[in-house]
Amino acid sequence: MSPTRVPVVDGWFSSEGGEFRLLGTCCRGCGAVYFPREDVFCRAPGCAGTELTEMPLSRRGRVWSYTDGRYRPPAPFPSGPEGEWRPYTLIAVELAAERMVVLGQGAPGVTVADLAVGMEVEVVPGVLGEEGGRTLTTWHWRPVAEEAS
Amino acid sequence: MTGEVAVLGAGMHPWGKWGRSFVEYGTKAARAALADAGLQWSAIQSVVGANTVRCGYPGQVSGATFARALGWQGARVTSVYAACASGARAIDTARAQILSGMADTVLVVGSDAAPKGFFAPAGGERPDDPDWLRFRVLGATNPAYFALWARRRMAMYGDTAEDFARVKVKNAAAGAANPYARYRSPVTAEEVAASPVVADPLRLLDICATSDGAAALVLGSMETARRLGMRRPVRIRAVSSVSPSHPRTALDLPDIATDSAPPGSPASDPFRPSIARAAYEEAGLGPEDLSLAEVYDLSTALELEWYEDLGLCGPGEGAKLLREGATALGGRIPVNPSGGLASFGEAVPAQAIAQVCELTQQLRGQAGERQVAGASAGITVNQGLFGHGSSVVAVR
Ligand SMILES: [Zn+2]
């Protein structure tokens, strides 16, 4: 039996309609966009908005910066204390339309050697780790393959 | 300008990994500051403690914890928490009490016994806590954020790993002359390059350690200083205490994402430079008037960022200023003559107070081998999680 797949956090991403997207919220009053989602109050200082609607974020953006983690992070990161530690890549991505930077882990196999500031990346579904017999799902950033023009 | 307060006394506990209680470190630092001021504990009217994180109560009511340890004597008690800026917030609170006439003599104490390894959030399942979430979802440690900024500098300004190593070499050389520093040996660029990568491009010796340590100040009104016969006390002329402006577009601890900037809106005022600017405005001086600066070198690369945010040079010119030797002891504007966090490590609630202890020693001409000649004005700057910006200007 394969383990149950559950998102590491509810409501932050979805594959509805077949396309994987990060989910933010948008204030109906002032148009401010939030990720992680803000569902109760708009945080813009001049806005009293309380109606925030779910909004998928841009699928693609450009690398703002990147790094990796060569040592095991502490809990609550679901790495488990046992077994070999495999470094992960961390990528900060600038989304042009939202004018925001969103962090995420790199897709499996993507190392810092594959990255450069300004490079185009896209969001893809990924697995964060196993925990208590469950597979925790997440989002990953992956470089966009060069397309022939 | 809102008025000055006098530094009546300063004291520290040496930093290291001592395996003892934060109460012991803080009490020793407090007693040292009282002795330096020539004041009895009973003469203190108010105690402000910078909180350390403990899952029980004592660390989170540090003002009362230190007051109890020194002996209950009826003083006003306050405890403050602002992560890395806790010490500066404690100084700010003490100053407000003095300037408002609530107290003439205030003891400020910050102390910590740090855990080993990466700083981690408290336990439990707490998905409403952004600090918990960044560890949970991304495994994004503090060094990961320092590394994102370091890599960004390399891409934007052409900084190199050698530039970052130079910061460590400089600060280790200064720290070797500081009896309160944890690390008191010179470090070479080769040693930095040979240390393991923690978060690319930063290596172990680019990142400050966690330490035990404590620092304390006795602050008072200028009138009190006169009454105590202090003719030229070190004076705190400004304490900047600003938060960011929305939308905050710099990715910082513990963010998973920045705020978004609405379409067509101008970029908001960047946070870090606004911290120093508020201090300069309040103090009525500028970067050209400084003799020295103490900045949070949580990473070597971050120190270069602070040069620019303090206005010691233009954006992107930090590495050049460093290479010229301007920020070393003997240079035009020494930065971290104490040795910085590179030499001390982090004892979170103590470090912003320790920065002011260093300014005090320097402005009194008591810094020994690391003395900045003719020091007359100094600035500290730091930043705590969740939008706490802080900067202190002291003069003599
Ligand atoms: Zn709004």
Side-chain angles (χ1 to χ4, degrees):
Chain A
M1 202 181 89
S2 62
T4 321
R5 291 171 71 88
V6 289
V8 61
V9 190
D10 282 328
W12 284 18
F13 48 85
S14 157
S15 291
E16 243 168 73
E19 194 181 49
F20 184 82
R21 301 283 285 261
L22 287 172
L23 300 176
T25 56
C26 179
C27 171
R28 283 209 189 177
C30 72
V33 176
Y34 296 101
F35 181 84
R37 57 191 302 147
E38 219 29 270
D39 283 296
V40 184
F41 297 107
C42 176
R43 297 202 313 264
C47 179
T50 55
E51 281 187 65
L52 295 115
T53 49
E54 190 168 282
M55 191 190 91
L57 302 186
S58 300
R59 280 187 55 237
R60 289 186 175 188
R62 293 196 177 272
V63 174
W64 182 86
S65 191
Y66 56 94
T67 183
D68 58 11
R70 303 281 178 102
Y71 292 81
R72 193 191 302 272
F77 187 72
S79 71
E82 69 291 323
E84 193 192 347
W85 167 245
R86 273 201 304 268
Y88 61 86
T89 306
L90 206 55
I91 312 177
V93 178
E94 205 162 13
L95 305 180
E98 294 86 353
R99 286 175 70 188
M100 73 194 300
V101 175
V102 179
L103 265 178
Q105 290 196 348
V110 175
T111 71
V112 290
D114 304 314
L115 297 167
V117 169
M119 177 185 276
E120 191 170 28
V121 292
E122 63 186 351
V123 74
V124 293
V127 167
L128 184 64
E130 310 290 327
E131 190 182 70
R134 299 179 310 170
T135 298
L136 298 176
T137 60
T138 189
W139 72 96
H140 283 151
W141 294 112
R142 181 177 70 190
V144 174
E146 289 287 326
E147 285 165 23
S149 51
Chain B
M1 208 186 298
T2 54
E4 297 176 334
V5 300
V7 178
L8 305 178
M12 292 176 69
H13 186 287
W15 294 33
K17 287 274 191 185
W18 306 107
R20 309 185 82 97
S21 153
F22 82 98
V23 185
E24 179 177 332
Y25 306 139
T27 305
K28 283 190 178 165
R31 289 186 190 279
L34 289 165
D36 185 48
L39 282 175
Q40 297 295 318
W41 158 234
S42 56
I44 297 298
Q45 298 172 350
S46 171
V47 185
V48 185
N51 288 358
T52 181
V53 172
R54 290 289 182 283
C55 290
Y57 288 115
Q60 291 161 357
V61 286
S62 56
T65 299
F66 298 126
R68 177 175 175 269
L70 289 160
W72 293 122
Q73 47 86 322
R76 181 187 294 271
V77 174
T78 311
S79 302
V80 299
Y81 183 70
C84 274
S86 295
R89 296 275 59 75
I91 293 169
D92 191 40
T93 302
R95 182 182 74 139
Q97 293 180 349
I98 293 164
L99 292 178
S100 69
M102 285 164 67
D104 285 327
T105 49
V106 185
L107 173 67
V108 178
V109 192
S111 175
D112 206 0
K116 274 199 172 66
F118 292 123
F119 280 125
E125 179 87 11
R126 295 180 295 106
D128 56 347
D129 173 355
D131 200 38
W132 186 88
L133 279 171
R134 56 124 164 176
F135 282 98
R136 174 68 173 162
V137 180
L138 299 169
T141 60
N142 291 5
Y145 287 87
F146 308 151
L148 290 170
W149 281 92
R151 172 60 61 187
R152 180 80 182 163
R153 288 191 67 84
M154 294 170 93
M156 298 294 286
Y157 305 138
D159 287 10
T160 64
E162 290 72 32
D163 291 325
F164 301 154
R166 238 175 234 122
V167 174
K168 177 69 175 190
V169 172
K170 170 184 79 66
N171 289 353
N178 191 337
Y180 292 104
R182 173 177 178 186
Y183 300 105
R184 301 202 54 206
S185 308
V187 172
T188 65
E190 292 70 31
E191 287 169 326
V192 180
S195 65
V197 173
V198 174
D200 177 275
L202 297 178
R203 296 174 177 276
L204 194 59
L205 293 185
D206 282 302
I207 294 163
C208 84
T210 60
S211 289
D212 297 354
L217 292 165
V218 178
L219 303 179
S221 62
M222 293 305 294
E223 172 55 33
T224 303
R226 267 191 294 276
R227 195 159 39 77
L228 292 171
M230 294 180 184
R231 292 176 50 185
R232 281 181 65 231
V234 170
R235 291 162 286 150
I236 290 180
R237 183 173 274 184
V239 184
S240 153
S241 176
V242 295
S243 54
S245 301
H246 182 86
R248 184 186 190 181
T249 52
L251 185 75
D252 226 323
L253 282 77
D255 298 337
I256 289 174
T258 63
D259 290 334
S260 87
S265 66
S268 70
D269 198 17
F271 180 41
R272 269 199 294 261
S274 76
I275 300 170
R277 193 170 58 243
Y280 289 139
E281 280 171 15
E282 189 172 283
L285 50 72
E288 64 285 356
D289 302 309
L290 297 175
S291 315
L292 71 148
E294 284 282 315
V295 309
Y296 262 29
D297 55 324
L298 297 166
S299 81
T300 50
L302 186 62
E303 177 167 317
L304 302 180
E305 201 91 20
W306 281 123
Y307 295 173
E308 297 159 18
D309 295 333
L310 281 174
L312 306 180
C313 61
E317 294 173 355
K320 180 167 168 282
L321 192 72
L322 173 76
R323 286 185 217 125
E324 291 166 357
T327 57
L329 281 174
R332 179 165 60 74
I333 170 72
V335 175
N336 286 333
S338 68
L341 297 174
S343 304
F344 276 74
E346 280 198 274
V348 171
Q351 55 215 35
I353 300 170
Q355 288 182 316
V356 178
C357 288
E358 176 68 12
L359 291 194
T360 302
Q361 287 207 312
Q362 291 283 352
L363 294 170
R364 287 175 177 174
Q366 295 175 340
E369 279 177 70
R370 54 181 211 288
Q371 181 63 47
V372 176
S376 62
I379 194 167
T380 74
V381 70
N382 59 68
Q383 191 188 347
L385 237 52
F386 308 117
H388 289 103
S390 279
S391 172
V392 176
V393 175
V395 298
R396 191 175 183 199

